[in-house]
Amino acid sequence: MNLRLNLKATELRLGLPGSRSPERNPELSLLSSSKIDENSHFPLFSPKSVVSRNKRGFAFSEGTLGSNTEAHIIQSSMAASVQESHCEANDTKQNHSNAANNSNTPPTKAQVVGWPPLRSSFRKNSMATITSKKVEGKSGASALFVKVSMDGAPYLRKVDLRAYSVYQELSCALEKMFSCFTIGEYGSHGNEKLSETKLKDLLHGSEYVLTYEDKDGDWMLVGDVPWEMFIGTCKRLRIMKSCDAIGLAPRAVEQSCNRK
Amino acid sequence: MDPNQKRAKAVDRVDSVDTGAASSESTRMCPFPDEVLERVLSLIGSHKDRSSVSLVCKDWYNAERWSRRHVFIGNCYSVSPEIVAARFPRIRSVTLKGKPRFSDFNLVPEDWGADVHPWLSVFSTAYPFLEELRLKRMAVSDESLEFLATNFQGFKALSLLSCDGFSTDGLKAIATNCKNLTELDVQENGIDDLGGHWLSCFPESLSSLEILNFASLNSELLLQAPQLMELGTGTFMQELVSGPVTELKNTFSNCKHLVTLSGLWDATPLYLPVIYPACARLTFLNLSYATLRSIELANLLTHSKSLRRLWLLDTVGDKGLEAVGSCCPLLEELRVFPADPFDQEIFLGVTESGFVSVSRGCPKLRYVLYFCRQMTNAAVATIAQNCPDFTHFRLCIMNPGQPDYLTKEPMDEAFGAIVKTCTKLQRLAVSGLLTDRTFEYIGKYAKNLETLSVAFAGSSDLGMEYVLGGCPKLRKLEIRDCPFGNAALLSGLTKYESMRSLWMSACNVTMNGCRELAKEKPRLNVEVMKDEGSDDSQAHKVYVYRTVAGPRRDAPPFVLTL
């Protein structure tokens, strides 16, 4: 017992100081931290179907958690019990090498093969509906999806930044994508012209600004840097209400004032 | 498991019914000439009834086999094409299903089998006048499609559902050569879309085509579809997929007889009104590729009051489902698919409340497939009360092993309520945190259950034993990632021959358990799929099915028949 404690004290861990790695016990001792969702104990299913998409899939620390602790728990409990069994635990050696670079990218969630039960033709098509279809002739680079949220909209969308080559194209695509929300507010009686004009007013007017979160985690106004640099550094987009954008670079606030 | 021995046994079974009182019976019972008996029996459509008829006596067996025009083969390995051809000489229509259902979810390696070609070879000599072929989860190559197109002169209807191995080149062969085609139905297949203009290969004079469905293909091709609509005006029951919607404005206004509509990938809210004129008579609307919001759906539904079947994406949210409940009183089938099934960060979609809303407004619901991220026992109990006529209840709580999110209890009572209240239930898929109690309920109450799908559930062997000990009509049982072991597997010893198949993957079954099953039951094929690098004593994927054709002769190296 003592020996174990000592080992724990000297253990190379991946988290921020003060975070604890869950017990390597396939049962319920993952529930120690207040952050962990009480519901997510999964003693009843076997980890045999886990396929880790990313070598970092077995990171134990909460410090690397982006958001959803539940998903993390699937990953940790699976990892814990997988180590007990003799199967897929060949990725755990990667853990220690990740200590250095565990900052921004959230750990890829370990994905269960064939779950949820959807046909692959369906999955392929559902992604297709979310992206812009401007991909003719762009077969070189792979897609670069980022999430786009709009204040007040009930859900997020995703766009492929590599599908566009200038800010104008991105802006148009976003207008199209989020038009349904703003139109909703004005009633949708199929009067196309009226709705589109209103939308343009909204996006180009003073109500909303388009912002993005860059690699350093700062929120910036879209359009400040050359396009190539932008797609290299943009992590996610947010269509923000102007009043919330005051915290951004002062230039942004001035610009929106000028538009009024 | 000698196939000849099997064949003899099948015939024996019939003969033994026949002997006993046979001779006096046949003189007494059959004053009809054979032709009359055949004529009478030809009116019997259901293949289950026909099976029963064939067991009565030898005369009836023969009359039935000569009068049968359609054969349904639920598992292509349960019988061989030669046996089918020998028994049924006058078949015009064949339905053939191949791979286990979990192959849809990548749980079955490629090259597993279910090749249609050996069947086509035998059929080309035995049934040169074959008119209809319906394939599900079969491996179909372009060569096979070409063979089909060129060897069956009167061929009329082809349906390919969830098949793979072919490309649009194969479809080109069909379009070019099948002069009498009335139906071409190509859905949910893993096919290579080589573009090309296979649609233009239909001869201009083709007036017979009534059903054309290729919902999963590239929308580029579909620009040509409107031309086809002009052929055979007035008699169309056609499923269309819309490409650039402006091109279809005219087509829709001509679409007075449209009964089903699917696709609409590019549908944005501004353009949806284009299809309103076609909606009045729609009985089936498939919006599972369209990211609609609740308000767009609501507007669409006010024009579609005749809907019986509706497929949606969960972007419509609970509010959208409320609209379904208020607009579609005739609804019998609802399927709600997740727009973003793998991203757990975006918490959206539908919840238990949407489902309850639909159940209140649509008491005729009998088929539901529902993907959600949260559910409660109380909600499901309410739904069961509102819709007691469920025949198919498939609930997928997407997070494996998730309990009732309000009470934190297992979801046992939810499925208990379903099996107790919905006595007509034929198909059930369970999810969420489930103990053996769920299976106790199922075994005890689900008297009409034929298909059960289980994943990440159960606490012990008892769970599976309850099901195998109850459920008198069980035909297909598919299980993944459950703690069921050899005891559970072997508890079904007497049951498996009355079932079509059993699938168990990532459970606790061992090779020894499987070997014992194979030894006790020589008329079953007990197949184990080997996984790379897994423990040799564990049976990672097990597929058990009854057969009269003996062990597979085309099994790939990773499939072991014990």
Side-chain angles (χ1 to χ4, degrees):
Chain A
M1 198 53 167
N2 271 339
L3 196 60
R4 249 224 232 133
L5 284 173
N6 282 339
L7 282 176
K8 248 186 161 9
T10 56
E11 190 180 292
L12 175 63
R13 291 201 255 124
L14 300 173
L16 301 172
S19 65
R20 279 181 305 178
S21 65
E23 305 272 293
R24 300 198 178 193
N25 184 330
E27 301 197 14
L28 305 181
S29 42
L30 297 165
L31 309 182
S32 40
S33 160
S34 56
K35 259 197 189 177
I36 300 176
D37 188 345
E38 295 160 9
N39 302 337
S40 31
H41 51 277
F42 303 107
L44 299 180
F45 72 92
S46 76
K48 293 172 197 166
S49 303
V50 172
V51 169
S52 179
R53 285 268 220 80
N54 178 333
K55 296 248 153 74
R56 268 183 239 165
F58 295 111
F60 285 113
S61 163
E62 285 154 37
T64 56
L65 271 182
S67 44
N68 194 328
T69 50
E70 232 174 65
H72 180 72
I73 296 307
I74 295 177
Q75 178 177 312
S76 317
S77 68
M78 281 184 185
S81 27
V82 160
Q83 285 181 352
E84 245 75 292
S85 81
H86 27 196
C87 300
E88 292 109 298
N90 46 7
D91 286 335
T92 50
K93 295 196 179 88
Q94 301 290 331
N95 286 345
H96 294 305
S97 61
N98 291 333
N101 50 350
N102 64 345
S103 52
N104 286 336
T105 330
T108 306
K109 294 150 180 103
Q111 212 170 59
V112 179
V113 173
W115 189 265
L118 291 160
R119 290 195 180 125
S120 46
S121 60
F122 173 82
R123 288 204 300 273
K124 184 181 64 162
N125 290 325
S126 68
M127 272 314 292
T129 57
I130 293 170
T131 64
S132 155
K133 291 221 167 157
K134 297 184 195 179
V135 284
E136 270 101 344
K138 293 206 182 183
S139 48
S142 60
L144 180 63
F145 287 110
V146 297
K147 290 184 183 156
V148 190
S149 61
M150 177 169 172
D151 288 359
Y155 57 91
L156 309 180
R157 303 299 292 273
K158 281 184 189 168
V159 286
D160 173 10
L161 291 181
R162 291 230 175 82
Y164 316 104
S165 45
V166 287
Y167 283 114
Q168 182 59 28
E169 284 173 21
L170 172 64
S171 170
C172 284
L174 291 178
E175 276 168 41
K176 259 203 222 162
M177 217 180 255
F178 287 93
S179 59
C180 47
F181 301 128
T182 47
I183 283 174
E185 269 137 49
Y186 289 87
S188 55
H189 297 301
N191 189 338
E192 305 176 10
K193 276 203 194 132
L194 178 59
S195 309
E196 280 191 28
T197 320
K198 281 238 182 266
L199 171 68
K200 286 200 170 83
D201 283 345
L202 285 173
L203 283 190
H204 291 146
S206 55
E207 276 235 27
Y208 288 91
V209 290
L210 184 58
T211 64
Y212 72 101
E213 183 183 9
D214 69 5
K215 283 220 150 75
D216 301 324
D218 298 323
W219 285 92
M220 318 280 282
L221 191 68
V222 166
D224 279 356
V225 300
W227 176 259
E228 286 303 316
M229 195 186 295
F230 165 69
I231 65 176
T233 182
C234 170
K235 270 172 45 194
R236 56 192 296 166
L237 291 163
R238 181 174 162 196
I239 303 175
M240 225 185 238
K241 293 214 164 98
S242 296
C243 48
D244 295 335
I246 294 172
L248 294 180
R251 211 175 40 187
V253 174
E254 268 171 29
Q255 280 180 354
S256 55
C257 284
N258 289 340
R259 279 193 216 117
K260 271 189 191 139
Chain B
M1 291 212 274
D2 172 7
N4 288 328
Q5 199 185 6
K6 277 229 170 70
R7 219 172 304 185
K9 276 188 184 165
V11 175
D12 273 349
R13 199 176 50 191
V14 174
D15 281 352
S16 64
V17 171
D18 190 33
T19 46
S23 36
S24 52
E25 203 163 11
S26 49
T27 42
R28 225 181 350 148
M29 271 220 35
C30 289
F32 307 120
D34 287 340
E35 293 81 7
V36 176
L37 189 55
E38 267 178 55
R39 182 73 183 91
V40 171
L41 294 183
S42 69
L43 300 172
I44 297 179
S46 145
H47 60 270
K48 285 179 191 165
D49 287 343
R50 282 187 159 270
S51 292
S52 309
V53 158
S54 67
L55 293 175
V56 170
C57 65
K58 205 161 182 192
D59 282 342
W60 282 47
Y61 176 84
N62 281 321
E64 193 280 314
R65 61 184 271 263
W66 282 94
S67 64
R68 195 189 283 230
R69 296 288 172 268
H70 171 243
V71 67
F72 172 88
I73 300 160
N75 174 2
C76 64
Y77 288 118
S78 64
V79 70
S80 74
E82 292 84 6
I83 295 175
V84 174
R87 179 169 170 187
F88 300 115
R90 292 217 202 125
I91 295 294
R92 295 286 164 115
S93 162
V94 176
T95 301
L96 189 54
K97 298 189 181 181
K99 304 182 196 178
R101 196 178 75 95
F102 281 176
S103 68
D104 284 349
F105 318 128
N106 301 327
L107 289 180
V108 174
E110 280 187 34
D111 308 326
W112 178 83
D115 186 0
V116 76
H117 208 90
W119 292 86
L120 293 177
S121 303
V122 170
F123 289 165
S124 64
T125 37
Y127 308 134
F129 302 113
L130 188 71
E131 291 175 359
E132 271 186 25
L133 186 61
R134 294 176 194 283
L135 304 177
K136 188 168 184 180
R137 290 190 201 98
M138 297 292 292
V140 181
S141 66
D142 286 339
E143 290 71 33
S144 294
L145 288 176
E146 209 177 308
F147 185 87
L148 175 65
T150 48
N151 281 281
F152 298 89
Q153 297 314 314
F155 193 74
K156 290 191 181 151
L158 177 64
S159 168
L160 300 170
L161 182 58
S162 206
C163 297
D164 64 353
F166 63 102
S167 74
T168 43
D169 283 351
L171 295 179
K172 222 183 201 174
I174 300 283
T176 313
N177 294 298
C178 297
K179 309 290 180 206
N180 298 309
L181 201 67
T182 60
E183 178 181 342
L184 179 58
D185 187 354
V186 179
Q187 291 193 71
E188 308 268 13
N189 298 295
I191 94 175
D192 281 330
D193 193 344
L194 302 179
H197 300 284
W198 65 272
L199 269 175
S200 60
C201 292
F202 281 112
E204 276 179 24
S205 56
L206 187 68
S207 52
S208 53
L209 195 63
E210 286 166 22
I211 296 175
L212 183 60
N213 177 4
F214 37 89
S216 51
L217 294 181
N218 195 311
S219 54
E220 238 179 72
L221 293 175
L222 303 168
L223 289 179
Q224 317 220 13
Q227 290 161 339
L228 283 171
M229 277 210 51
E230 292 161 41
L231 303 170
T233 32
T235 57
F236 266 109
M237 186 185 89
Q238 182 185 38
E239 295 187 21
L240 278 182
V241 183
S242 62
V245 185
T246 41
E247 314 245 350
L248 289 167
K249 267 186 182 165
N250 291 331
T251 10
F252 278 116
S253 53
N254 289 334
C255 254
K256 311 246 169 7
H257 298 271
L258 201 63
V259 173
T260 62
L261 185 60
S262 65
L264 302 170
W265 296 343
D266 288 333
T268 60
L270 299 176
Y271 295 123
L272 269 185
V274 159
I275 71 167
Y276 289 172
C279 286
R281 270 178 235 245
L282 279 188
T283 58
F284 172 38
L285 185 54
N286 179 355
L287 298 169
S288 59
Y289 294 121
T291 52
L292 297 189
R293 251 184 99 221
S294 60
I295 203 158
E296 292 124 33
L297 177 66
N299 288 333
L300 182 55
L301 290 180
T302 51
H303 293 82
S304 322
K305 301 275 188 171
S306 315
L307 278 183
R308 302 266 196 283
R309 301 170 59 209
L310 179 60
W311 295 16
L312 297 172
L313 263 193
D314 66 358
T315 50
V316 302
D318 288 337
K319 278 204 84 117
L321 293 180
E322 276 171 38
V324 174
S326 26
C327 295
C328 307
L330 301 176
L331 200 68
E332 294 171 9
E333 175 180 328
L334 175 69
R335 302 194 196 200
V336 181
F337 296 95
D340 235 329
F342 304 110
D343 198 327
Q344 292 175 10
E345 246 181 273
I346 301 180
F347 193 87
L348 58 105
V350 292
T351 71
E352 77 280 8
S353 100
F355 199 165
V356 172
S357 312
V358 177
S359 73
R360 266 196 226 113
C362 310
K364 293 191 178 180
L365 264 188
R366 12 152 248 104
Y367 191 123
V368 167
L369 169 59
Y370 199 81
F371 285 84
C372 59
R373 289 185 170 88
Q374 67 187 47
M375 189 51 61
T376 66
N377 287 309
V380 178
T382 306
I383 289 160
Q385 288 299 320
N386 292 337
C387 302
D389 293 335
F390 274 128
T391 56
H392 297 66
F393 190 85
R394 304 165 61 188
L395 177 62
C396 182
I397 301 167
M398 289 191 274
N399 210 358
Q402 181 174 299
D404 177 324
Y405 81 100
L406 289 180
T407 65
K408 316 296 188 213
E409 282 170 4
M411 296 296 297
D412 297 337
E413 297 307 315
F415 295 104
I418 291 288
V419 294
K420 283 178 204 164
T421 318
C422 308
T423 51
K424 301 181 205 162
L425 197 69
Q426 292 166 23
R427 181 170 179 186
L428 179 64
V430 298
S431 60
L433 180 66
L434 300 174
T435 70
D436 289 340
R437 165 132 293 178
T438 300
F439 303 104
E440 195 183 345
Y441 287 141
I442 293 174
K444 189 168 168 195
Y445 293 103
K447 298 294 178 205
N448 285 310
L449 192 66
E450 296 178 13
T451 305
L452 178 63
S453 309
V454 185
F456 306 104
S459 337
S460 74
D461 283 338
L462 271 183
M464 188 169 164
E465 285 169 19
Y466 282 134
V467 172
L468 290 170
C471 299
K473 295 203 185 162
L474 194 66
R475 292 188 299 114
K476 286 176 285 179
L477 181 56
E478 47 185 27
I479 301 173
R480 62 166 293 183
D481 295 90
C482 295
F484 304 140
N486 293 337
L489 176 70
L490 294 169
S491 72
L493 221 48
T494 49
K495 200 169 182 93
Y496 298 132
E497 276 182 18
S498 66
M499 290 170 54
R500 184 189 295 175
S501 65
L502 165 73
W503 168 281
M504 284 179 83
S505 61
C507 296
N508 292 339
V509 173
T510 69
M511 292 297 286
N512 286 334
C514 294
R515 280 189 199 108
E516 186 164 344
L517 175 61
K519 195 178 75 165
E520 295 292 321
K521 288 285 160 184
R523 286 198 286 210
L524 299 177
N525 275 356
V526 179
E527 295 177 3
V528 176
M529 270 177 256
K530 298 302 292 169
D531 240 23
E532 300 260 326
S534 65
D535 184 356
D536 275 344
S537 66
Q538 287 296 111
H540 194 70
K541 286 178 185 162
V542 180
Y543 185 47
V544 179
Y545 57 91
R546 66 181 175 189
T547 179
V548 295
R552 283 177 59 179
R553 269 162 283 183
D554 65 345
F558 57 84
V559 172
L560 274 105
T561 308
L562 301 177

